[in-house]
Amino acid sequence: MRFNLLSRFLELPGIVRAQLCATMLNSASVIIKLFMPLLFRGSYRLDFEIVGMLMAAYGAGCVAGAYAGGVLTGRVDSRKFTAACLCVSGGLAVCMSQLPAVAWLFVVAPVIGAADGAFRPANLRLVMEAAGSHDATWLQGLHRICFNLGVALAGFAAAGLSGTGYPVLFAVAGMANVAGGCLLALYVRDPVGATEARPTHAAAHSYAGRCASASPWSDSAFLLFVLGQLLALGIFDQMYGAFGLFLSEDYQLDSRWIGYLFSFNALLIVLVQAPAMMLIGRIGVSAASRWGALLLTIAFPLLNLGRGPMYATITMACVTAAEILLTPAWTLAVMDRSANRDRGRYLGIFTAAWLGHSLYGPAAGTWIYGTFGGNNLWWACAAAGLAVCALHHSVIGQLSSCTSSR
């Protein structure tokens, strides 16, 4: 099986292999940018309010860049665009490692965010549109594996380089992005990479001849899907805030357990994503989405059933399984829905929602945790999960009618 996966990877066009490598490098760089607050506090001695403003500027840049990047994929050569995004992000990260004046940080941070955000939809479109109708599920799984390998790589880099200072860490992250941009630039003139917009499955046949609006803003099914997506991502975001607080304050677990659980999350995704894609190919996108939403609904309330590492591990396993099912299922559904439509805007909104949840998820979770307690937060997550199940029950089938469960 491993040989088969490797042979299929080597049979991909060179530009697609380069895009997957760039995905890994960019995800590693983005994860390292989560250390920006430590850089601002340790090297600049900035107040928490200023640090928060700079992180908000970076986050806003990611959201705006994601939508703009999606729109631009239909107007410019995406290969050149993704290469430029990586080089801009990487070059500015290296500049940030040189500790410029504080005033410049308010320019550099949002521009880096915009470049990182714009890369995602353009890169996703290039990778997915290189897939044939039977390879889309497999290729989406490979894309997810590369992304999470980048996350793991960032963890090792942070552990190995943090002792040398955060400026060095940012310089290395920037150079990784620039290397990815240069790798993509090598394939800019390759005609094989100039793929046409097409559906990932046979959905084009079900849409052919319909007078459907090309704009996602008038697509009620897609907008309901995004609303459910935002709710689900708000639940996912509790992993990065309230979950750690709960383990520390209520379970009395030390910080090592948080590290173990996140390593467990990344390892599961790398090991299980490929078999999960085969399962999704058999049961369909609709069934995968429903099972993923159900797992997400029950994950955090399990913490209310007992205390100790076992419950935390089971919760993380459920959250990870939900992520393994939902991320590719949603991507495939959006790719199918955008067939014969304005795919760039669809991917722009989808990616902007994916990145924008960090602007409200941790804050809302922390507020509920501090006001009503951790146990009530987990019941609130269950309620939000049920809302996702209700919103997506029929919508996913409308987005990707050919891949609904059989």
Side-chain angles (χ1 to χ4, degrees):
M1 181 178 177
R2 290 180 179 177
F3 177 77
N4 183 48
L5 288 174
L6 179 60
S7 63
R8 290 183 69 181
F9 174 77
L10 294 175
E11 289 171 1
L12 292 171
I15 181 61
V16 179
R17 296 199 300 270
Q19 293 290 155
L20 291 170
C21 291
T23 298
M24 181 177 66
L25 293 172
N26 179 253
S27 67
S29 176
V30 169
I31 292 300
I32 287 176
K33 292 186 181 76
L34 296 178
F35 290 90
M36 277 198 288
L38 299 176
L39 175 71
F40 297 149
R41 285 287 293 170
S43 299
Y44 288 93
R45 308 295 180 186
L46 298 178
D47 294 334
F48 285 107
E49 292 81 2
I50 303 298
V51 173
M53 292 171 62
L54 286 167
M55 292 307 296
Y58 174 76
C62 284
V63 174
Y67 180 70
V71 172
L72 288 173
T73 59
R75 294 164 172 77
V76 299
D77 187 332
S78 295
R79 296 167 299 171
K80 295 179 181 178
F81 183 69
T82 51
C85 286
L86 289 180
C87 289
V88 169
S89 174
L92 290 177
V94 172
C95 290
M96 187 178 286
S97 72
Q98 302 305 305
L99 305 179
V102 173
W104 278 106
L105 294 179
F106 283 93
V107 177
V108 173
V111 176
I112 291 179
D116 285 336
F119 171 79
R120 295 249 187 131
N123 178 64
L124 179 62
R125 181 171 184 171
L126 279 172
V127 171
M128 294 303 294
E129 288 184 352
S133 60
H134 301 292
D135 293 330
T137 303
W138 172 77
L139 197 52
Q140 168 60 13
L142 187 58
H143 179 265
R144 287 292 301 161
I145 291 171
C146 290
F147 183 90
N148 283 281
L149 282 174
V151 174
L153 180 63
F156 287 120
L161 297 174
S162 59
T164 63
Y166 292 108
V168 175
L169 188 61
F170 270 76
V172 172
M175 288 187 285
N177 253 356
V178 172
C182 292
L183 177 63
L184 296 182
L186 295 176
Y187 291 92
V188 164
R189 296 184 181 277
D190 185 358
V192 177
T195 56
E196 296 179 356
R198 61 174 180 266
T200 56
H201 295 280
H205 297 295
S206 64
Y207 294 128
R210 294 188 188 180
C211 296
S213 170
S215 173
W217 297 111
S218 58
D219 186 344
S220 59
F222 176 72
L223 295 178
L224 282 175
F225 161 77
V226 171
L227 177 59
Q229 177 195 5
L230 290 171
L231 285 173
L233 293 174
I235 301 172
F236 274 119
D237 248 346
Q238 302 318 307
M239 281 202 310
Y240 306 106
F243 182 54
L245 290 173
F246 187 82
L247 296 185
S248 176
E249 297 183 4
D250 292 67
Y251 275 15
Q252 301 296 311
L253 298 178
D254 60 37
S255 58
R256 289 180 301 171
W257 272 101
I258 300 175
Y260 294 154
L261 290 170
F262 277 98
S263 298
F264 175 61
N265 168 264
L267 181 63
L268 268 184
I269 292 174
V270 171
L271 294 178
V272 180
Q273 189 70 73
M277 298 310 298
M278 298 174 64
L279 174 65
I280 293 172
R282 287 199 298 268
I283 67 175
V285 167
S286 292
S289 178
R290 289 166 188 164
W291 279 108
L294 180 61
L295 285 167
L296 185 62
T297 299
I298 67 173
F300 286 111
L302 292 173
L303 295 170
N304 291 335
L305 301 181
R307 297 172 62 86
M310 181 182 74
Y311 290 94
T313 303
I314 294 173
T315 292
M316 182 59 85
C318 287
V319 172
T320 305
E323 181 182 357
I324 288 171
L325 290 172
L326 290 176
T327 303
W330 287 352
T331 302
L332 292 168
V334 172
M335 289 295 292
D336 280 342
R337 185 64 169 185
S338 61
N340 303 329
R341 301 173 184 238
D342 190 346
R343 175 164 284 174
R345 290 185 188 275
Y346 273 88
L347 290 178
I349 295 173
F350 176 63
T351 309
W354 204 279
L355 295 173
H357 65 89
S358 59
L359 300 178
Y360 64 86
T366 304
W367 179 79
I368 295 174
Y369 181 91
T371 306
F372 301 104
N375 293 68
N376 287 322
L377 170 60
W378 307 138
W379 293 127
C381 287
L386 290 174
V388 174
C389 292
L391 284 168
H392 281 188
H393 180 72
S394 61
V395 166
I396 295 293
Q398 294 178 48
L399 295 188
S400 187
S401 58
C402 68
T403 52
S404 55
S405 62
R406 294 185 285 270

